[in-house]
Amino acid sequence: MIISLYSDAIARACEILDLLPGRETGAYSHSQGAKGLREAIAAGIASRDGFPSNADDIFLTDGASPAVQTMIQLLIRTEKDGILCPIPQYPLYSASVTLHGGSLVPYYLNESTGWGLEVLHLKNQLEGACSQGIAVRALVVINPGNPTGQVLSEENQKEIVEFCRKDGLVLLADEVYQENVYAGDKKFNSFKRIARSMGYERDELSLVSFHSVSKGYYGEGGKRGGYMELCGFSTDVKDQIYKVTSVNLCSNILGQILSSLIMNPPKVGDESYESFTAEKERILSSLARRAKALEDAFNKLEGVTCNKVEGAMYLFPRLQLPNRAIKAAKIANAAPDAFYAHRLLDATGIVVVPGSGFGQVPGTWHIRCTILPEEDKIPALVSRLRGFHSSFMEEFRD
Amino acid sequence: MAPKPLDYESLNENVKKVAYAVRGELYLRASELQKEGKKIIFTNVGNPHALGQKPLSFPRQVVALCQAPFLLDDPNVNLMFPADAIARAKHYLSLTSGGLGAYSDSRGLPGIRKEVADFIERRDGYPSDPELIFLTDGASKGVMQILNSVIRNEMDGILVPVPQYPLYSAAISLFGGSLVPYYLEEEANWSLDFNNIRQSVAAARSKGITVRAMVIINPGNPTGQCLSEANIRELLRFCFRENLVLLADEVYQQNIYQDERPFISARKILFDMGPPMSKEVQLVSFHTVSKGYWGECGQRGGYFEMTNLPPKTVDEIYKVASVSLSPNVPGQIFLGLMVNPPKPGDISYLKFATESKAILESLRKRAHIMTDGFNSCKNVVCNFTEGAMYSFPQIRLPQKAIEAAKMAGKAPDVFYCLKLLEATGISTVPGSGFGQKEGVFHLRTTILPAEEDMPAIMASFKKFNDAFMEQYEGYGGYSRM
C-alpha cells in the first residue's frame, strides 16, 4: 500500500474524475473546459474577491499565453487597430500584436517612481495614437509586473478602471503573478474586485483577467494550464470566442485540473492542509529572500540601479554603461544591453534577457534576471556577477 | 456613456468567418437536451475515452509516476507499478530540467523528439532529423501554425479536400486565406480525382489566387478512405510540378480496418521516388496521441515533421512556437510512449499488445457494423470505413424533406440531423460541416460507441430513418414528428 497519498487527495481526485466526460482525463472536455472545474475556479475567484464569478465566463486554456493570443486576435481587424501595452512589457504582447497585424501603442512605466503607471501619460499616448488614425481597442496591464515586478496600488487600479470605461477600452489584466507578492506593504487586488468595489456591475466594464498555473508558488509551467475570465462582453461576442476555441477542441485536461486546484487549494481542516501550507510558505518565503538578495547584489554594482522587487519573479536592473562599452556594442552590431548580456554569459554562464527584448525608454539599458536560482547557489552567483561586472566596467572605463 | 469597446460588429472579421461544425449547432443542441435529462449518444467528435474506451495501462503508469515522482521514492512502488514503467518514468524525468512542471524546449524535449525520429525511421526506412520535428499541444495547433506561416493574404490559396475535417477551412478563414476545394470521388471510394484537382487549381489561378499548399488527410476524415500508393505518388508529382507544399494529416495512421491498402506515409513514398522530387518537394506531416488505439485526446499531444523546408523557414516557425513557451510536458511523454511502446520481451509488452489488439479489432468490427447498418437503411448509401474513426453515410433526402428544411430555415442535412437527435439522442455532425457536392447530403458519426451498444444504436437509427423517409416520400404533409 502506497502511503504517500493523503486521503483528501484521493477524495479530490475522485471528485474531479466525476466532473470529466467518461470519468477520463483522456477525453476531450467542453471547449471552455470541464464545467465542474470551471465552477470550482469561479468559486475560488469569488472567495478571493468577495464578488460572484460565473463558470460560463471562464475559458480554460493551455497556459495563459494562448488566451492572450485569442483575445488579441479577436480585437485586431487591421493595422489600424492598436493595443496599449506597457513598456517594459512581457513580449508575448508585442509578439501577438505583430503576429495578428495590429499596432502596438506603447505607454511607459516610470522607473523613477518604482515603475509607476501614470494615467495622464496613458491619456497622452491614447490621444497620440488616435491622431494617427489608430483605433485603440484595449489596454494591457500586467500586475504584478513582468519584467518590472511592481504591484499596483488600489488608487492606481481605480484610475485605470475609470480610464478604460471612459475611453471604451477592453482591459486585458494579466494577473498570472497574483500569488507572488513580496512587499509587505502591498497587496494583490484583482481588477475585477477593484471594478466591483467601485460599484461597476458586469456590463459596465469589458474586462479579461488572465491567470496561470505556471507561476505563483506552484510553478507548473510545463503543464500548460491557465484561464481567462471574461466580464462585460455580449453573448454574441462570447459565442465567437467559444467558436474559435472550439476549433482546438479543448485545452489539456491535466492543466485544467491544476487550474481548478490552484483556485481551490486544501482548506483548514483538510488532511493535506498543513503540509500544503508548509510547502507554500517555504517556497514563497524563499522567493522573497532571493528577490531581496539579488536586488541588493545588483544595487551594489557600479552604475547599476535596481528597483524593489515587489512581486512576480524578476529583477530588471538598469545599467549605466560607459560610452566605450556602448561604442564597442555598436561595432559588434549589438544593442548595448545585449552586448553586456553576451559578455556576462561567456564569462559566468549566467543567462539573462537584454532589456531591449522588453522595451525601455530609448537610451536606457536593462537586463532581466529571474529570482529563481536556488537559494544556496545565490552567493556564488552573486560573486561571479560582481567579478564580471567590475572587470567589464574596468575594461570599458571612459 | 462611452461605446461598448467590443461589439459583435467590431470583431475581427476573420473570426466571424470561422465555422467549426464539430462543436457547432448540433453539438450545442445535444448539450441542451442532455441538460434537460435526455440520454445523448455523442458521436460528433472522435473522443474514444468519453465513450468508454479504456486508456492503455502502460502509458498511464509511466505518466502517473512522472507526475508524482515522490511515488518513486516509496519502498512499495514495485508492488503497484511494473519495473519497466518505473524505469521509463525515471528515464523521462531525467530528460526534463526539473520534472513535468518545467517548460521544455519550445520544440519539445530533445529526447522525445529523438524517439519520434527513430519511430519515423523504423516505420519508413528513411532517417529522420529530430531538429525538424516539433511537438505541439495536439496536432491541431501544429496545423494552425503551419497554415499561419503559409497564408500571407486572401490571394493565397490552400487546396483542401471536400469533404474535409473543418479545422482546415476554419484555419484558412481565421488567417484570411482562400480555400481551394478539390472533390473526393464518393463513387470511387472517396479517392482523389486528379482532373478535378487540376481544374480547381486552374480556376483559382484564373481568379488571381496563388495556390501555395495542398492538404491531404490520410486516412481520411470524415471519409475514412486509405489512399493508394499510386494516388499518393501522383499527388506528390502534382505538388512537385505545381510548386505546392504538401500538408499530410496522418493522425489516423494506426486506424486501418482493411488489409488491401495499409498505411504508407507520404514521406516514405516521397523518398521512394528519389531525386529530384525527394530533395525538392516540401512536406509537413502531422501526427497525434488523440487517435489510433491510444485515443488520448485530453492530453493534447502531437507533432509535425518538416521535410525539405529551408533552415530560415524552420527558424521562423521555431520563433513563433517559442511565444507559447512549450508544449505541455505530459502530452510530450504520451507521444514518446506512443512512438516507442513496450517491445517483445518487456514486462509490460504482453498486456500492452493485448490491450492494443483488442481496441483495434473492436474498431474494425464496429466499422463493419456501422457501414452495414447504414447500408440497410432506406435511401442511405455508405462507403466502408477503411480507416480513421468515422462513418459518413450519404442520406438521399426526398424533395419534400428538402422543402421542409428550407421552411425551417435549416440546411437539409442539419434538418435531418436535428430530427435524428431529437428522436433518438444520437448526436452527429451534418455533412455540410465538412463540405459536400451541391445537392448531396451526408452526416458524420463516429464508430466509437461501445461494441455492445452498436446494434441498438443502429436499430434506433434505422427506425428513425425509415420512418423519416416514409413521411417525406409519402403523400401529404402529415407529420408524426
Side-chain angles (χ1 to χ4, degrees), chain B residues 142-343:
Chain B
V143 167
M144 297 202 81
Q145 235 214 301
I146 298 297
L147 284 172
N148 195 21
S149 306
V150 173
I151 295 171
R152 297 164 298 185
N153 53 56
E154 70 276 9
M155 297 317 276
D156 278 340
I158 312 287
L159 269 164
V160 174
V162 178
Q164 46 102 40
Y165 173 53
L167 164 66
Y168 295 95
S169 45
I172 293 166
S173 294
L174 200 53
F175 302 128
S178 284
L179 191 148
V180 180
Y182 68 90
Y183 288 82
L184 300 174
E185 268 305 295
E186 186 163 9
E187 290 78 38
N189 208 29
W190 297 116
S191 60
L192 300 174
D193 173 358
F194 283 90
N195 278 329
N196 180 263
I197 298 176
R198 278 187 283 271
Q199 278 168 3
S200 290
V201 171
R205 285 176 177 158
S206 70
K207 286 190 260 179
I209 292 182
T210 307
V211 184
R212 307 256 283 155
M214 179 170 189
V215 173
I216 55 159
I217 310 172
N218 182 40
N221 176 4
T223 44
Q225 84 286 23
C226 295
L227 294 176
S228 68
E229 191 175 337
N231 251 188
I232 300 177
R233 278 180 178 253
E234 199 172 343
L235 209 147
L236 286 164
R237 273 192 286 268
F238 182 78
C239 289
F240 178 60
R241 270 200 317 271
E242 304 295 333
N243 201 26
L244 307 174
V245 55
L246 181 62
L247 306 177
D249 178 338
E250 299 176 331
V251 303
Y252 294 100
Q253 57 187 267
Q254 289 175 355
N255 303 101
I256 311 291
Y257 312 126
Q258 41 71 41
D259 305 312
E260 293 76 39
R261 269 178 305 287
F263 171 75
I264 311 177
S265 76
R267 192 169 186 269
K268 175 179 190 325
I269 295 175
L270 177 63
F271 286 145
D272 283 347
M273 293 172 87
M277 288 189 48
S278 58
K279 294 217 190 307
E280 303 282 330
V281 175
Q282 294 182 331
L283 167 67
V284 186
S285 314
F286 302 90
H287 198 12
T288 179
V289 302
S290 300
K291 311 299 176 193
Y293 51 90
W294 284 62
E296 292 278 10
C297 305
Q299 314 297 349
R300 315 319 277 112
Y303 75 77
F304 60 87
E305 184 197 20
M306 298 170 278
T307 302
N308 295 330
L309 264 64
K312 270 188 150 169
T313 301
V314 175
D315 285 345
E316 290 295 323
I317 295 172
Y318 175 22
K319 181 185 74 181
V320 172
S322 73
V323 179
S324 297
L325 287 150
S326 110
N328 90 75
V329 180
Q332 296 186 40
I333 295 176
F334 273 101
L335 193 66
L337 290 163
M338 183 184 79
V339 299
N340 190 11
K343 296 181 208 8

Side-chain angles (χ1 to χ4, degrees), chain A residues 48-312:
Chain A
R48 177 195 69 194
D49 294 343
F51 293 96
S53 173
N54 195 326
D56 290 334
D57 291 340
I58 294 170
F59 286 68
L60 293 172
T61 49
D62 288 309
S65 299
V68 167
Q69 298 211 43
T70 298
M71 287 313 300
I72 290 184
Q73 178 169 59
L74 201 77
L75 287 162
I76 293 174
R77 295 162 295 185
T78 69
E79 71 276 6
K80 293 258 165 243
D81 280 331
I83 311 279
L84 268 163
C85 292
I87 302 293
Q89 44 99 48
Y90 173 55
L92 165 67
Y93 295 94
S94 47
S96 301
V97 171
T98 302
L99 203 53
H100 297 293
S103 286
L104 191 145
V105 180
Y107 68 89
Y108 290 84
L109 300 174
N110 191 339
E111 187 161 12
S112 61
T113 60
W115 298 113
L117 198 163
E118 274 132 43
V119 178
L120 200 52
H121 172 66
L122 272 181
K123 286 202 217 301
N124 288 337
Q125 295 302 95
L126 175 63
E127 274 155 31
C130 289
S131 69
Q132 289 177 313
I134 307 259
V136 180
R137 309 264 280 152
L139 170 70
V140 171
V141 180
I142 310 173
N143 182 45
N146 175 5
T148 45
Q150 85 285 23
V151 176
L152 295 173
S153 68
E154 262 193 66
E155 271 320 296
N156 221 184
Q157 287 183 277
K158 287 183 178 162
E159 291 177 306
I160 292 165
V161 166
E162 282 298 353
F163 174 75
C164 290
R165 282 197 70 243
K166 271 213 321 286
D167 287 286
L169 302 176
V170 175
L171 177 53
L172 300 175
D174 178 338
E175 299 179 330
V176 303
Y177 295 100
Q178 56 187 264
E179 299 274 10
N180 302 103
V181 177
Y182 316 121
D185 56 340
K186 287 289 183 72
K187 187 175 158 297
F188 169 76
N189 292 301
S190 73
F191 270 101
K192 180 144 172 273
R193 188 183 96 70
I194 297 290
R196 296 286 172 272
S197 65
M198 290 167 81
Y200 294 127
E201 296 301 323
R202 272 185 78 205
D203 57 359
E204 294 185 79
L205 174 72
S206 294
L207 168 65
V208 187
S209 313
F210 302 95
H211 196 15
S212 166
V213 307
S214 301
K215 313 299 176 190
Y217 51 90
Y218 18 86
E220 295 274 13
K223 304 299 171 64
R224 313 319 282 117
Y227 70 80
M228 58 178 175
E229 185 192 16
L230 282 89
C231 295
F233 293 88
S234 60
T235 310
D236 48 8
V237 169
K238 285 212 333 237
D239 285 347
Q240 292 298 309
I241 298 173
Y242 168 80
K243 182 183 71 176
V244 165
T245 22
S246 78
V247 178
N248 196 48
L249 285 147
C250 74
S251 64
N252 86 79
I253 306 296
L254 293 168
Q256 292 188 31
I257 292 172
L258 275 171
S259 292
S260 78
L261 290 170
I262 67 164
M263 295 309 287
N264 191 10
K267 294 181 190 28
V268 178
D270 291 351
E271 208 183 327
S272 300
Y273 177 74
E274 276 181 34
S275 69
F276 179 87
T277 307
E279 284 177 339
K280 172 182 173 180
E281 288 311 312
R282 202 166 46 238
I283 292 166
L284 286 174
S285 57
S286 172
L287 284 169
R289 285 193 299 273
R290 290 183 263 170
K292 191 79 181 53
L294 288 166
E295 190 191 303
D296 288 346
F298 275 109
N299 274 315
K300 291 204 175 86
L301 299 177
E302 183 192 344
V304 179
T305 47
C306 187
N307 278 350
K308 194 168 190 306
V309 179
E310 296 184 335

